[in-house]
Amino acid sequence: MSTPSAPPPSGHVPPAVDVPALAELLDGEYADIRALVRSNLVTHAAVLDDAEHLGIDEFRERVRTLVVEMAATGQTGMGFPKEYGGGGSVGASIAAFETLAFGDLSVLVKVGVQFGLFGGALLQLGTERHHEAYLPDLITGKLMGCFAMTETGHGSNVQALGTVATYDAEKQEFVITTSDDRARKDYIGNAARHAELAVVFAQLEVGGRSEGVHAFVVPIRVDGQVAPGVRIEDDGRKMGLNGVDNGRIWFDGVRVPREALLNRFADVTPEGVYESPIEHPGRRFFTMLGTLVQGRVSVGGGAINAAKVALAIAVTYAERRRQFKADSDTEEQVLLDYGLHQRRLLPLLARTYALHFAQDVVRTQLHEVFSGIKDDEQSRRELESRAAGTKALGTWHATKVIQECREACGGAGYLAVNRFAALKADSDIFTTFEGDNHVLLQLVAKGLLTGYASEFGDMDQLDMVRYVTGLAVETVIERTSAHTLLERVRDLLPGGDRWDQEAGLLDPEYHLAMLRFREEHMLAGAARRLKRGMDGKAGPGAVFSEVQDHVIALADAHVERLVLEAFVEKVRSLPEGDNKAALELLCHLFALSTIESDRAWFMEHGRLSAQRSKAITREVNVLCREIRPIAADLVDAWGIPPEMLRAPDLVG
């Protein structure tokens, strides 16, 4: 346990953190797979140096080799059925991916492309014929593939993809064609060098009729050479993740057999008759995309763990580095004893813990849905929304944390040897891939505004505006609110109208009530604005554009509330003791710093007086001082292998 240079706040006795016990709690039910991944990270720790010293082609080959070696240990195949050589646990596969984010992120993303995107598409969209043909070799890394969805002209708008797959009934083949340059597949991981197969998303045309976007297995290399009719171009050097070979793909009348259609949700008979158990095209499309939600859950968890690496380095450095004489004439003061340094790092530490427990919730939901434990439409919709929101907040958090931690380490943090250069460059794209964060938050808001109605999957933004406009605002709130607060807020908030009293500032019910009120007020306001715009005879597109900022704020408020609820529920479930006391401090700090950061909104809406706002700021400062003595223990509990910190100037 660390020993602080400065005394804790008067009367406060820091909890004695049991680091191994806290680490066990954080690893949870997947401790064994996390231990395997940590062991593999240590074995291959030299890849962190390779990323800086090898040329781009050499490093790509190094990453590929390492991914195949890791696959041989079983860590990357946990999500696949046991009969094909996998581990049979979706939850374990996410836990493994999260833990892998402690290491080189090119390796992480290569694993995600191969086993998550490519493998996940074959598993979730294909049927037994595809599983038997591809999964055994895919799981071992013998067969490499890519996930060809994104196009240059259509990033997030998957329904409008320009690649076309036309069925030729006479030859019982699909003809895959890139309609124009805007329809080229772009930024496709594994495409530039290593993939032999691609899961290609294209507009299916059967008998002259478009049936919407479907997925096909298409060979793009044969015996190491680019396949006939396929053109591949390297995307070249990127801001980061240069161990991943991203590329562009064009198809010029490439023919694949009828069986190449991934036919879990739709098929084409030999004669050319389109068949699907899901009649509505929109619902069929969203059902297909919903099966791929695992990628968002993985990216969110990976980002949160990348943030942990940055914080572990910065907190450890702040415990060692001295700067300026403050309380002594002979010795300079440790950085973490400065109030400003605590303010910079410790609220981020608290938010990282909060997001860790929120990630636990969404991982469990994913496991239950994909294992058939809760395989109903409502559970799937809620999973999609929660995965989208957690991914957005988790990846933005990582970007913010890594930047703040780099600055907190001064000039030393700018040296490549101390990992921040790689962390910044490699993690920045996390806010974009697997769904742009702002687009994902619009998905969250759509679920809130429609209450995940049965029509949810069929709605685009304009349909959502029309749907909400057809409801009474009160109906929107009743159908979507987890807690109906608008009429009862005074009863639920401690002190009623006596906002200025400081009692209750550390009451989790107060924290929850504040975040729930904010969410539901924003929900009602967004619904009213949508209705008012439509009543004014404006078009749905114009109305949505006007309200878009409100919609994003609503989604953000909703997800922050979910994150706080996850943290509070976890703390309440723990036995009394010092570890619970430590987590309570973090939970209070997360809640109050969240309220503090949006104090303008709470004050504008009458939920926070100037005096109480100042009291919250004082309490945040006190909490930072109380957490400071245990900060090193809290980052140690993440179990990041020392070899992964690789920052000799910073951590010693």
Side-chain angles (χ1 to χ4, degrees):
M1 180 172 170
S2 59
T3 302
S5 299
S10 178
H12 174 74
V13 178
V17 177
D18 183 338
V19 174
L22 183 55
E24 184 179 352
L25 172 72
L26 294 172
D27 278 357
E29 62 187 298
Y30 301 113
D32 289 345
I33 185 66
R34 293 187 193 276
L36 172 62
V37 176
R38 288 187 176 101
S39 174
N40 286 341
L41 286 172
V42 172
T43 299
H44 301 289
V47 72
L48 297 174
D49 294 314
D50 295 337
E52 287 151 20
H53 300 127
L54 296 179
I56 188 169
D57 291 329
E58 292 175 288
F59 186 50
R60 285 173 170 180
E61 293 306 317
R62 174 78 178 98
V63 169
R64 175 186 178 166
T65 300
L66 199 156
V67 167
V68 173
E69 290 177 3
M70 286 185 169
T73 71
Q75 77 164 62
T76 61
M78 292 304 300
F80 295 97
K82 292 181 178 179
E83 57 263 36
Y84 301 111
S89 173
V90 176
S93 73
I94 303 297
F97 188 87
E98 293 164 358
T99 311
L100 190 59
F102 289 151
D104 178 79
L105 296 182
S106 282
V107 175
L108 178 83
V109 172
K110 188 84 166 180
V111 166
V113 168
Q114 168 70 11
F115 304 100
L117 294 177
F118 174 59
L122 287 171
L123 177 63
Q124 299 297 338
L125 301 180
T127 52
E128 188 175 354
R129 69 190 186 205
H130 306 106
H131 300 164
E132 291 181 349
Y134 304 120
L135 291 187
D137 285 346
L138 181 157
I139 291 169
T140 64
K142 180 180 179 181
L143 171 65
M144 300 291 282
C146 62
F147 182 85
M149 176 183 280
T150 301
E151 295 179 356
T152 302
H154 294 99
S156 299
N157 189 8
V158 178
Q159 277 183 294
L161 293 178
T163 304
V164 179
T166 305
Y167 185 63
D168 181 345
E170 183 178 341
K171 295 187 176 180
Q172 296 186 23
E173 293 175 330
F174 293 103
V175 184
I176 314 293
T177 303
T178 301
S179 57
D180 57 45
D181 251 10
R182 295 175 69 246
R184 72 184 182 189
K185 299 297 180 181
D186 211 346
Y187 323 119
I188 310 301
N190 270 3
R193 290 288 185 274
H194 297 145
E196 300 167 57
L197 294 179
V199 172
V200 178
F201 289 81
Q203 302 286 352
L204 171 60
E205 291 186 355
V206 182
R209 173 175 169 165
S210 176
E211 300 292 353
V213 173
H214 291 67
F216 304 81
V217 182
V218 182
I220 60 171
R221 285 185 177 84
V222 178
D223 297 327
Q225 301 299 311
V226 176
V230 176
R231 178 158 64 101
I232 299 176
E233 186 177 285
D234 198 321
D235 273 320
R237 185 172 288 276
K238 309 181 293 292
M239 182 187 293
L241 298 178
N242 284 301
V244 183
D245 50 315
N246 293 80
R248 305 181 179 106
I249 313 175
W250 291 259
F251 301 96
D252 183 12
V254 175
R255 289 181 171 270
V256 294
R258 185 181 67 87
E259 293 76 16
L261 172 65
L262 294 178
N263 62 329
R264 178 180 174 186
F265 298 113
D267 210 344
V268 176
T269 68
E271 299 76 22
V273 177
Y274 180 80
E275 299 176 337
S276 174
I278 306 173
E279 186 173 344
H280 193 286
R283 184 164 300 172
R284 186 165 59 240
F285 171 76
F286 283 105
T287 299
M288 177 185 73
L289 287 193
T291 64
L292 306 177
V293 70
Q294 181 173 337
R296 288 172 184 166
V297 177
S298 298
V299 168
I304 293 164
N305 272 15
K308 291 177 185 176
V309 175
L311 276 165
I313 295 171
V315 168
T316 304
Y317 181 64
E319 287 270 18
R320 299 175 62 244
R321 178 75 153 90
R322 294 182 178 274
Q323 186 85 292
F324 300 112
K325 295 176 182 177
D327 293 329
S328 168
D329 292 331
T330 60
E331 191 173 36
E332 291 184 298
Q333 184 158 306
V334 172
L335 286 180
L336 201 54
D337 286 343
Y338 287 104
L340 179 59
H341 216 77
Q342 294 169 14
R343 263 287 190 160
R344 294 175 69 182
L345 296 182
L346 300 186
L348 296 177
L349 175 65
R351 191 175 182 89
T352 303
Y353 263 83
L355 286 164
H356 174 102
F357 293 122
Q359 176 71 10
D360 282 350
V361 173
V362 74
R363 186 196 322 107
T364 299
Q365 286 182 326
L366 178 78
H367 182 80
E368 289 176 345
V369 167
F370 278 60
S371 301
I373 299 170
K374 291 185 178 178
D375 194 17
D376 58 279
E377 185 173 352
Q378 181 77 7
S379 295
R380 284 184 171 272
R381 298 304 187 200
E382 290 176 359
L383 168 62
E384 290 169 26
S385 175
R386 189 156 196 151
T390 306
K391 184 268 182 185
L393 265 62
T395 55
W396 273 328
H397 176 69
T399 298
K400 179 179 180 179
V401 165
I402 292 165
Q403 177 63 28
E404 191 64 51
C405 289
R406 202 294 301 157
E407 292 184 32
C409 290
Y414 203 63
L415 300 178
V417 70
N418 290 326
R419 278 215 74 181
F420 285 112
L423 283 171
K424 280 173 61 67
D426 290 344
S427 69
D428 198 70
I429 192 63
F430 282 37
T431 62
T432 301
F433 64 26
E434 286 301 310
D436 173 273
N437 285 352
H438 288 93
V439 176
L440 292 182
L441 288 182
Q442 290 180 64
L443 170 68
V444 174
K446 183 175 78 166
L448 290 172
L449 286 161
T450 61
Y452 306 103
S454 59
E455 299 89 347
F456 172 84
D458 306 335
M459 294 183 199
D460 59 18
Q461 293 168 353
L462 306 188
D463 290 333
M464 183 198 73
V465 174
R466 296 186 184 99
Y467 179 86
V468 173
T469 303
L471 300 174
V473 173
E474 292 73 23
T475 304
V476 174
I477 299 167
E478 288 170 7
R479 290 184 59 172
T480 61
S481 297
H483 306 271
T484 305
L485 294 182
L486 292 177
E487 300 301 323
R488 301 188 290 118
V489 67
R490 287 186 173 86
D491 297 330
L492 287 173
L493 290 173
D497 283 329
R498 298 188 300 279
W499 293 98
D500 295 342
Q501 71 175 37
E502 294 186 18
L505 276 184
L506 298 182
D507 183 351
E509 288 302 323
Y510 169 71
H511 305 153
L512 290 167
M514 289 289 276
L515 265 58
R516 288 166 180 164
F517 175 83
R518 179 181 62 169
E519 174 189 345
E520 296 188 15
H521 193 289
M522 287 183 173
L523 174 64
R528 288 191 182 97
R529 288 184 65 190
L530 290 170
K531 290 176 72 69
R532 189 161 58 241
M534 290 294 282
D535 290 344
K537 308 305 180 186
V543 170
F544 183 78
S545 182
E546 285 289 324
V547 183
Q548 210 165 8
D549 60 331
H550 196 145
V551 164
I552 295 298
L554 161 63
D556 188 79
H558 169 71
V559 182
E560 278 199 324
R561 189 260 295 173
L562 292 178
V563 172
L564 179 59
E565 285 184 344
F567 203 169
V568 170
E569 289 170 11
K570 173 57 71 172
V571 171
R572 284 175 173 168
S573 72
L574 299 178
E576 296 300 324
D578 281 7
N579 279 5
K580 179 174 183 175
L583 291 178
E584 282 178 334
L585 291 173
L586 286 172
C587 192
H588 294 329
L589 179 56
F590 167 65
L592 290 181
S593 59
T594 298
I595 294 169
E596 181 190 44
S597 68
D598 205 13
R599 71 169 89 196
W601 188 94
F602 287 108
M603 295 177 79
E604 287 174 351
H605 294 85
R607 297 279 73 89
L608 199 61
S609 68
Q611 292 81 3
R612 195 165 179 82
S613 175
K614 292 176 183 177
I616 286 175
T617 293
R618 289 195 297 272
E619 195 62 57
V620 168
N621 288 335
V622 169
L623 287 166
C624 285
R625 293 197 298 273
E626 291 179 345
I627 290 170
R628 183 264 173 268
I630 59 173
D633 293 329
L634 293 170
V635 299
D636 286 348
W638 289 331
I640 303 169
E643 293 85 352
M644 296 301 98
L645 299 181
R646 201 189 65 114
D649 294 345
L650 301 178
V651 302

